[in-house]
Amino acid sequence: MVQTIHPPKAADHDASNNEYMLEVKGLRKAYAKKQALENVTFSLKPGTSFGFLGPNGAGKSTTMKILTGIVKADSGTAKLFGKDAASETDAVAKYIGYVPQDITLYEKLTAYQNLEFFGEAYGVKGKELKQRIHEVLAKTGLLERANEAVSTFSGGMKRRINIAAALLHRPKLLILDEPTVGIDPQSRNHIFEIIRELNREGVTIIYSTHYMEEVEALCDEIAIMDQGTVKAMGPLGQLLEQYGQKAIYLEVPGLTEPPQDPYIASSRKEGSGWLLETEQPSALMQRLLRQASQQAWDVKQLEIVRPSLESVFLKVTGTALRD
Amino acid sequence: MRSMIIKELRLIGKDKKSFFFLLLMPIIFIVMFGSVFNQGEGGASVTLRTIDQDQTAASKALIGQMKGIMDVEQLPADDVSGQLDKIKQGQFSAMLVIPSGFEQAMKSGKAADVKLYQDPSAQMEVAPIQAILGSISTQYREQKLTDLLIAKGESQAQAEAALASPIRIENVTASADKFSVIDQVVPGMTVMFVFFIMITMARRFFEEKKTGLLSRIRTTRIKPLHYLLGMWFPFVLTVIAQCVILFAFGHFVYGLALGDVAALAVIVVSLSIAGTGIGLALSFLVPGEGAAMVITQVISMGGAMLGGLWVPSYLLPKAVQTVGHFLPQFWAQHSLQDIIAHGAHLGDVWGAALILLTFGLAGLTVAMLRLPGFLRSAAN
C-alpha cells in the first residue's frame, strides 16, 4: 500500500526565524517540457548534516545547482544567511563550498595548482592561501602527492581533491553532489571521515546520494526526493519511526505457508523464512512464541526486524530506489 | 582574473596540439617555401636550356651574352628530338636551338635564325625568356647599324647618338632595402598561423563547458566578465609569443630584416587582439568543437589566399584584391611588409593597427553578448 506523503509546508519553518542558515521556499524549475522541481521547500539549521536521497532525475542536482547560483529557479527562493542565491551570488559564494557530481579538475595541472586556482577563485590569497592548501591537502591525505598531475591520481584521490577544492575558503555550508560515485570502499570511508570531521568542526553539510547506507551513515536529517518533489523530510529516527516497515522475521523448517494471525498486516517469503509486517511487533512476537509452543515448531530464527530506510523510501515514493 | 590567467597559461603550456599548430607548422612552411622560392641571393632566376649545333665563335658569343642575363644549361647537340619530348612531357618549358650555319648567316648579312621551342601551356615561364632573347636581338641589330654608320663615315659617338632611344627609363627602387621571398613568406605564414589559435580557444571553451568546470567556476567568486577576459588574455599573450618566435626564426635563420621594432610590436599586438577576438566570437557562436575547427580553417586558409599571404596582393585579380581589404589578414600582412621591406614606421602603420584592433574588439563584443547564453548552456 502506498501512503501519500505531503512535503513539508513553508509555514512549518518560520522564514523570519534566524536559527535557520538556509531557507528554501517553493522552488520550481522546468527544463523544456520536463518539470524538474515542484515546490521544493526546506530549511537547515547550522551544523546539520542533511541528506538528499533519491534516484537519478529526482531533482537533487537541480536543487543544489539553484543553491549555488548555477541554475536559476523559475519561481521560489533560496536564501543563505538571508542572501538570495540567485541575485547575490558573490555574497553566497563566500559561504558555500560546492563539490559537483563529476570530477571537475584540471587534469593536466598538479593538485597544488588546482587548489591554488580554486582558492584564488574563492578570494583566498597570499600566505593564507598557501596555509589553507597545506591544511586541505593534509585533511584529504594528499600532501605527498601535491605536486603531481591530477591525471596520475586514482579515482578515489581525484574525488578527495575534488572535495579539497571546495574547502579552501572555509565554507559554512558544504554541498556534495554524489561525491562517492565510482570509487572503492576504502576511498569512500576516507571521504566519509573527511565529511564527519568537517561536520564536527561546525560545517553544515548537504549530501546528495542515491545510496541509502551513505545517508544512514552520514546524515542526521534526510529529505527523500522523487520526481522533483520532497516526499518526506525529517531526522532519520523520526522517518524510520513514521514510515519504516515494522516486521518480524520467522524461520521454521517445513513452514510452507505463513502463519495466520490478525496482527499480521502482510507477509512475504524472504530467504528461508517469512517476513511478517505488523504495526505491533512486540505483541505479535508473543503470539508467535505461543503458537510455536502449541504447534511444536522447530524455530531457527525469530526476531524483530529493524525498520530500514529502504522501506521508508518504498513507502513514501511507492517504488524501490532505482540506480 | 589573475587566477584564471595563470591557470590558462599553464594549460596552454601543456597543450602539445597547440604547439604543433602555432609553432611547428608555420616553421615547417617557412622552411619549405623559403627553400623553394628563395634560391640564390637575387631570388628566383630564369633558366634556358640551349643546344649549340653551330659551335662557332658567333654562337658561343651569343650563349655568353645570354649567360650574363640568365642561367644557361647547354645540352648535347645531337639530342634535339629527345629534349623536345621532355618539353612535351612538361619536364621543362623552353629550349633554344642554335642551328649549324648561324655564324655564316651573320657574316653574309642574312638573318641568322635561332629556334625557341616552347611548351604552349607554360607561357608565364616562357615570357621572360622571350623578353630576354628579344632584348639580345635588339642589341645585335643596334650593333649592326652602328657598324653600318661607321662604315659610311660617322664617328662612333655620332653613330651611338643616332641610335640612342628618345626615351630613357631610369630604374629607381622605392626603398633602400631589397625585397626577397622571405619578406613575403615569414610575415605571410606568421599571419596565417596566428588564426589557428581559434581552434585552441574553441577547444578550451568547450572543454570547460563539457567537463563541468565552467559550472563549478560559476559557484566561485569569479564574475562572468572576468572569466571571459581571464580566458582571453592568455591567448593574446600566446599569439604575441608565437609571432616573436616566428619573426626571430626568420631573422636569425634567413636574415629577415625586422625594420622598426616598435612599429612591428604594435602590429603584432594588434594582430594578436584581432585573431583572438575573432576566436572568442567563434567559440561562443558555433555549436561544437568540430564546427569551430572547420570554420577556423576556412578563415585561416581563405583569409590567407584572399589577403595576399601566399602571393603578393598585386598579383591577385582586382576583385580578389578588393575583397582582401575586408580581411584582417590583408592589413596585417600589408603593414608587416611595409615595416620589414619598405622602411615603414609607427606613423605609417597606425591605420592598419586600428583596423586590426577593430576586428578584435568586434569579436570581443560578440562574445560578451553571447556569454550569458553560453553560461546557461553550461549549467544543464
Side-chain angles (χ1 to χ4, degrees):
Chain A
M1 191 179 76
V2 176
Q3 185 179 343
T4 306
I5 311 293
H6 296 288
K9 291 174 185 165
D12 294 345
H13 301 289
D14 184 355
S16 62
N17 192 337
N18 288 334
E19 67 178 318
Y20 294 112
M21 67 179 296
L22 175 68
E23 293 177 294
V24 175
K25 284 185 196 170
L27 289 185
R28 283 189 171 81
K29 178 71 186 173
Y31 294 113
K33 288 179 182 172
K34 188 179 181 297
Q35 193 68 34
L37 288 186
E38 182 62 47
N39 196 27
V40 170
T41 299
F42 64 93
S43 303
L44 290 188
K45 290 178 183 173
T48 310
S49 181
F50 184 78
F52 262 126
L53 179 66
N56 292 333
K60 308 185 300 288
S61 292
T62 302
T63 305
M64 293 182 169
K65 284 178 179 175
I66 290 172
L67 296 182
T68 51
I70 297 172
V71 168
K72 282 200 167 34
D74 296 337
S75 64
T77 57
K79 289 190 175 180
L80 183 67
F81 294 113
K83 309 284 183 191
D84 186 63
S87 58
E88 297 173 90
T89 49
D90 189 58
V92 169
K94 285 184 205 168
Y95 300 122
I96 290 187
Y98 174 58
V99 182
Q101 191 172 339
D102 297 318
I103 294 167
T104 46
L105 298 166
Y106 294 100
E107 298 244 338
K108 287 180 184 171
L109 301 186
T110 65
Y112 192 94
Q113 288 168 338
N114 269 283
L115 295 176
E116 203 172 38
F117 167 68
F118 281 107
E120 284 194 28
Y122 279 118
V124 189
K125 287 173 187 162
K127 279 184 186 171
E128 192 197 350
L129 177 59
K130 282 184 182 168
Q131 188 192 330
R132 282 301 293 155
I133 290 173
H134 190 273
E135 284 171 10
V136 298
L137 281 169
K139 193 185 281 287
T140 52
L142 291 167
L143 207 50
E144 288 175 7
R145 305 288 298 267
N147 293 315
E148 292 176 33
V150 170
S151 59
T152 64
F153 285 11
S154 68
M157 288 161 71
K158 285 179 185 175
R159 287 276 171 200
R160 279 184 270 157
I161 283 289
N162 209 31
I163 294 171
L167 303 177
L168 293 152
H169 59 306
R170 299 180 195 278
K172 294 191 186 309
L173 172 64
L174 182 65
I175 298 178
L176 302 108
D177 192 357
E178 309 210 15
T180 59
V181 171
I183 59 170
D184 58 274
Q186 197 183 353
S187 294
R188 180 183 289 199
N189 287 338
H190 198 150
I191 287 174
F192 282 6
E193 276 312 307
I194 294 168
I195 294 169
R196 285 193 190 107
E197 192 185 328
L198 287 165
N199 192 225
R200 279 197 295 273
E201 289 168 5
V203 177
T204 305
I205 306 288
I206 295 182
Y207 189 95
S208 155
T209 183
H210 57 263
Y211 297 124
M212 304 215 194
E213 64 275 19
E214 292 195 346
V215 170
E216 285 181 303
L218 287 173
C219 304
D220 40 42
E221 279 202 53
I222 297 164
I224 294 176
M225 284 195 85
D226 194 29
Q227 296 177 339
T229 60
V230 176
K231 299 287 187 184
M233 190 170 75
L236 178 60
Q238 185 186 314
L239 288 179
L240 291 173
E241 176 61 32
Q242 196 172 349
Y243 305 115
Q245 177 201 52
K246 299 175 189 78
I248 285 179
Y249 181 76
L250 171 67
E251 189 179 328
V252 178
L255 194 65
T256 53
E257 293 293 324
Q260 299 300 311
D261 191 291
Y263 280 73
I264 298 172
S266 65
S267 57
R268 67 171 187 272
K269 190 89 174 132
E270 193 163 291
S272 307
W274 293 92
L275 191 71
L276 312 169
E277 288 186 41
T278 179
E279 288 302 313
Q280 293 168 279
S282 302
L284 179 61
M285 178 72 96
Q286 286 174 11
R287 293 169 70 89
L288 287 173
L289 282 170
R290 242 189 334 263
Q291 201 174 349
S293 170
Q294 287 166 0
Q295 298 184 16
W297 285 346
D298 177 18
V299 177
K300 296 288 179 196
Q301 205 172 341
L302 177 65
E303 62 182 21
I304 294 176
V305 177
R306 183 178 172 270
S308 71
L309 197 52
E310 190 175 352
S311 66
V312 174
F313 191 88
L314 184 67
K315 197 159 192 176
V316 298
T317 66
T319 55
L321 184 55
R322 310 171 293 276
D323 276 340
Chain B
M1 198 161 84
R2 178 182 167 275
S3 58
M4 287 291 303
I5 292 170
I6 292 171
K7 176 265 295 178
E8 210 51 39
L9 284 173
R10 281 173 173 160
L11 288 172
I12 293 169
K14 290 176 187 293
D15 187 353
K16 287 177 185 144
K17 275 187 203 167
S18 296
F19 174 77
F20 178 75
F21 276 115
L22 301 178
L23 284 179
L24 211 57
M25 283 280 279
I27 286 176
I28 290 169
F29 272 68
I30 289 170
V31 170
M32 204 168 69
F33 278 80
S35 307
V36 171
F37 296 112
N38 199 38
Q39 294 167 343
E41 189 69 15
S45 61
V46 177
T47 301
L48 179 60
R49 285 159 182 83
T50 307
I51 291 179
D52 182 6
Q53 292 176 324
D54 194 42
Q55 294 292 334
T56 58
S59 67
K60 285 174 184 166
L62 174 61
I63 290 169
Q65 202 164 359
M66 290 193 301
K67 279 181 177 171
I69 304 167
M70 58 185 163
D71 291 339
V72 175
E73 184 184 337
Q74 285 192 263
L75 303 170
D78 55 351
D79 192 26
V80 176
S81 62
Q83 298 302 326
L84 282 175
D85 286 342
K86 287 184 179 176
I87 292 179
K88 285 175 192 166
Q89 290 161 10
Q91 291 183 24
F92 54 88
S93 55
M95 176 178 70
L96 184 77
V97 176
I98 306 169
S100 300
F102 173 77
E103 187 182 56
Q104 202 176 349
M106 280 185 77
K107 282 180 179 169
S108 65
K110 293 178 189 171
D113 290 333
V114 292
K115 289 179 181 167
L116 181 67
Y117 294 93
Q118 52 191 279
D119 179 357
S121 65
Q123 283 309 301
M124 277 185 72
E125 294 168 52
V126 175
I129 295 172
Q130 285 176 317
I132 292 168
L133 292 177
S135 169
I136 292 171
S137 172
T138 304
Q139 285 174 33
Y140 270 88
R141 191 170 66 241
E142 284 174 1
Q143 186 57 50
K144 190 176 171 185
L145 286 168
T146 306
D147 292 346
L148 274 173
L149 288 170
I150 291 170
K152 287 187 177 177
E154 299 282 346
S155 68
Q156 177 80 23
Q158 284 171 323
E160 283 176 4
L163 289 171
S165 170
I167 299 170
R168 190 167 66 92
I169 296 169
E170 187 182 356
N171 290 318
V172 182
T173 51
S175 78
D177 302 320
K178 66 180 178 193
F179 186 81
S180 77
V181 173
I182 283 299
D183 296 339
Q184 167 77 23
V185 170
V186 174
M189 292 302 128
T190 302
V191 173
M192 182 169 95
F193 281 96
V194 156
F195 286 85
F196 275 79
I197 193 77
M198 296 193 296
I199 293 177
T200 311
M201 292 179 77
R203 197 172 62 233
R204 282 289 308 119
F205 276 107
F206 283 109
E207 264 173 17
E208 291 262 309
K209 192 162 110 168
K210 202 167 56 185
T211 55
L213 273 158
L214 179 53
S215 282
R216 185 169 197 171
I217 288 169
R218 290 189 66 204
T219 70
T220 70
R221 301 182 66 189
I222 294 175
K223 292 181 170 54
L225 183 63
H226 290 172
Y227 171 78
L228 180 70
L229 298 177
M231 287 290 281
W232 179 43
F233 194 58
F235 289 109
V236 175
L237 293 180
T238 303
V239 172
I240 291 172
Q242 178 194 17
C243 292
V244 168
I245 291 170
L246 293 178
F247 277 110
F249 180 80
H251 179 66
F252 291 112
V253 176
Y254 290 103
L256 175 80
L258 298 177
D260 182 346
V261 176
L264 191 67
V266 166
I267 293 298
V268 162
V269 171
S270 307
L271 172 64
S272 308
I273 289 171
T276 53
I278 296 170
L280 271 186
L282 178 78
S283 302
F284 289 156
L285 283 171
V286 296
E289 202 181 317
M293 190 167 270
V294 171
I295 294 171
T296 297
Q297 290 189 18
V298 169
I299 291 174
S300 301
M301 308 300 263
M305 194 170 64
L306 301 173
L309 306 189
W310 291 342
V311 290
S313 281
Y314 58 82
L315 292 180
L316 298 171
K318 193 74 185 164
V320 175
Q321 287 185 42
T322 307
V323 172
H325 282 71
F326 294 94
L327 303 173
Q329 286 97 330
F330 169 84
W331 294 102
Q333 174 76 348
H334 198 69
S335 52
L336 287 172
Q337 283 189 320
D338 281 350
I339 295 165
I340 289 167
H342 306 137
H345 295 283
L346 211 49
D348 304 310
V349 296
W350 68 266
L354 211 59
I355 290 169
L356 290 170
L357 289 173
T358 306
F359 274 105
L361 294 177
L364 181 61
T365 307
V366 170
M368 283 167 68
L369 292 173
R370 299 280 300 182
L371 182 63
F374 188 79
L375 295 177
R376 271 198 303 277
S377 69
N380 300 325

